[in-house]
Structure formats: C-alpha cells, structure tokens
Amino acid sequence: MTEIIGLDLPGAFEIRPPVHRDLRGTFRKIMHRPTFERHGLSTEFAEEYFTESADRVLRGLHFQLPPHDHVKLVYCVTGAVLDVAVDLRRDSPTFGRHVMVELSAELGNGVYLPPGLAHGFYVRRGPAILVYKTSTVHTASADSGIRWDSAGIDWPDTAPILSGRDLNLPTLESFESPFHIR
Ligand SMILES: Cc1cn([C@H]2C[C@H](O)[C@@H](COP(=O)(O)OP(=O)(O)O[C@H]3O[C@@H](C)C(=O)[C@@H](O)[C@H]3O)O2)c(=O)[nH]c1=O
C-alpha cells in the first residue's frame, strides 16, 4: 500500500509506493487517483516533464506566481537528490520554514507540494532524473524563485552547480510573497 506521509509544511506530503521486485527488476506506482483522493490530494495535472542533472547540481528554489501557481508532484527515477520545499504562504504557521526529503530511485519516493511552496533539490548521486507533474502549464512570465542560499537550508555543498537564472534570483527576505494558504 502506498504511504502518504504528512511533511512538516501543511499540505505537503511524501509519497512512498511499495516496491514490487522480481527477477527482472522493480515496479513502483507513484500516482493512483483513488489513493490521492482519499488523502485530499489533487489529481488534476496539466503537464509532466523531467530533468537530468549531474552530481552537485542544485536546481531551485522555484515556483510559479499566482494565478499560475500550482501543485507539484516530483519523484526521482535515477540517482538520488536532497529535495527541499520552502513555505512562502504568508499566513502559514510554517511561513519561511522548509522541509528536506531524500528522493532516490531505490526508494522510488516522491513529494507532493501544494501551491505556495518553493521547490529545489541538490544532486547527491548523479545523473539524477526527476519527473515532475504540475497542475498548471508552464507560464514563462510567472516562473519565479528565490535564491537557494537565502532560506536557512543546510545544503551539503557551499558551491553547487547553478544556472545563471538561479544565481540571480531574489533572496527570501527581499521577496514580497503573494501566496496565502487556500
Ligand atoms: C520549468 C520549464 C522550463 N522550460 C524551459 C525554460 C528554459 O529554456 C529551460 C530550462 O528552464 P529552467 O532553467 O527554469 O529549468 P529548471 O531550473 O530545471 O527548473 C525546474 O527546477 C525545479 C527545481 C523545479 O521545481 C521545476 O518545476 C522547474 O522549475 O526549459 C519550459 O519550456 N517549460 C517548463 O515547464
């Protein structure tokens, strides 16, 4: 049975599917509508994509601004990452706080993030392939983020490999958050 485990940010969950093993390898199912619905999770996804990242890459911390904000379901199919979500919802009891979950191909686990959370990860064992499902389509003008090193996260690397965009994101402190708990 898939475990849906509440994380320390309201509305965020770790998804842990059972691993079915046989002589060929493994089988894991991340998304199952009845299970998600039983836990009050959204199953309306508009896009699915994946990224491949080398060792020591850090992507994030990203989100889409309202009204294009979205639920994000992320899981790792190759390698291992430290996945992080930061709460940007002003009226949340955990505003400004974050959670960190190790996602790996071996565990086959994922995270479900509600709107209003910034998302990012650091590659522990690359190449790491992450699959994402989002509940709204990508809208370049709403695609935004905060700097990886501005949210008090204890990353295992002080000089990770970053994109130019991620290097120039605003800090958490300077970001005027438009997010609220729904
Ligand atoms: C996210 C995204 C990017 N792109 C394009 C824009 C750009 O040319 C190229 C790479 O974009 P980025 O540098 O933003 O990609 P990346 O830094 O990998 O962004 C991703 O980071 C992780 C942490 C997430 O949570 C994802 O949702 C996504 O934001 O892909 C799309 O066409 N559609 C999309 O949905």
Side-chain angles (χ1 to χ4, degrees), residues 13 38 79 109 114 123 138:
F13 296 87
R38 232 181 7 261
N109 60 336
V123 178
H138 180 243

Side-chain angles (χ1 to χ4, degrees), residues 24-182:
R24 299 165 302 171
T26 60
F27 178 99
R28 285 67 95 60
K29 185 177 295 178
I30 291 282
M31 216 288 281
H32 179 248
R33 185 183 291 158
T35 306
F36 271 41
E37 284 176 350
R38 232 181 7 261
H39 287 83
L41 308 190
S42 170
T43 58
E44 295 298 315
F45 294 106
E47 277 197 347
E48 182 164 338
Y49 51 92
F50 65 94
T51 52
E52 180 182 327
S53 313
D55 273 329
R56 301 194 50 217
V57 163
L58 193 155
R59 295 186 193 242
L61 300 155
H62 300 160
F63 47 85
Q64 284 204 161
L65 294 166
H68 304 285
D69 48 341
H70 48 211
V71 167
K72 193 177 277 184
L73 175 66
V74 185
Y75 58 100
C76 179
V77 294
T78 301
V81 305
L82 285 176
D83 200 81
V84 170
V86 182
D87 195 346
L88 300 176
R89 300 164 298 184
R90 293 188 161 283
D91 52 346
S92 168
T94 52
F95 175 64
R97 304 229 300 261
H98 65 272
V99 287
M100 187 182 268
V101 178
E102 170 134 15
L103 300 181
S104 71
E106 288 68 33
L107 288 171
N109 60 336
V111 289
Y112 173 100
L113 307 176
L117 267 51
H119 172 254
F121 63 87
Y122 173 78
V123 178
R124 267 242 161 103
R125 185 161 36 81
I129 298 182
L130 263 67
V131 182
Y132 314 68
K133 282 171 174 295
T134 55
S135 62
T136 66
V137 294
H138 180 243
T139 304
S141 59
D143 198 354
S144 188
I146 53 166
R147 250 187 84 107
W148 67 285
D149 56 354
S150 70
I153 300 162
D154 191 17
W155 296 108
D157 196 328
T158 51
I161 301 166
L162 295 159
S163 69
R165 168 169 112 98
D166 287 354
L167 273 169
N168 289 304
L169 290 172
T171 62
L172 171 61
E173 198 186 1
S174 67
F175 177 66
E176 282 286 325
S177 178
F179 296 108
H180 294 277
I181 288 197
R182 289 182 178 175

